Amino acid sequence: QVRLVESGGGSVQAGRSLRLSCTAYGLSASTYCLAWYRQAPGKEGEGVATLDRDGRKTYTDSVKGRFSIPGDYDKNTLDLQMNNLKPEDTAEYYCAAEPGLSGAGCNFKGVRGFRYRGQGTQVTVSS
């Protein structure tokens, strides 16, 4: 049984940083596209960042230069370093994984449909 468990969310003021972590259990395929996805109340969810087995990373435009996935590919762990947080970053953040996806196919635009997603961790940024 696959489980993705997120941690590290919280409430911070604008301009501060947070680091989210995800631990995966039960991922049995040889490769995955790993991702972060967020859902804010009243808004459509969006893919935030992805990492594939070759270390290729993609980010949605609104977080480029502020968010990053540190380190190399490890299908059992995924972090998201979030710097210079803004109130519009407030959302529930989910870790997600799609088996067998890599290269150009592993990008933030496709995260909504990923097969596996965690329960989420709340990030709240106040102005």
Side-chain angles (χ1 to χ4, degrees), residues 4-7 36-37 92-95 117-122:
L4 303 177
V5 181
E6 303 93 340
S7 62
W36 287 98
Y37 179 87
E92 189 82 11
Y93 283 72
Y94 301 88
C95 177
R117 189 186 295 180
Q119 293 299 306
T121 185
Q122 178 67 36

Side-chain angles (χ1 to χ4, degrees), residues 17-18 21 29-30 32-33 36 44 65 67 69 80-81 88 90 98 108 114 118:
S17 298
L18 280 174
S21 294
S30 60
Y32 289 84
C33 177
W36 287 98
E44 282 194 14
F67 291 13
I69 294 176
L80 182 68
Q81 179 65 41
E88 51 263 42
T90 295
E98 179 67 25
F108 63 87
F114 277 21

Side-chain angles (χ1 to χ4, degrees), residues 96-108:
E98 179 67 25
L101 204 58
S102 64
C106 177
N107 67 81
F108 63 87

Side-chain angles (χ1 to χ4, degrees), residues 49-81:
T50 60
L51 171 66
D52 78 0
R53 65 181 179 184
D54 297 319
R56 178 176 174 272
K57 302 170 185 176
T58 73
Y59 303 94
T60 192
D61 286 348
S62 62
V63 307
K64 281 181 180 177
R66 300 187 299 120
F67 291 13
S68 65
I69 294 176
D72 299 323
Y73 174 84
D74 178 342
K75 72 176 186 180
N76 296 313
T77 63
L78 181 70
D79 287 356
L80 182 68
Q81 179 65 41

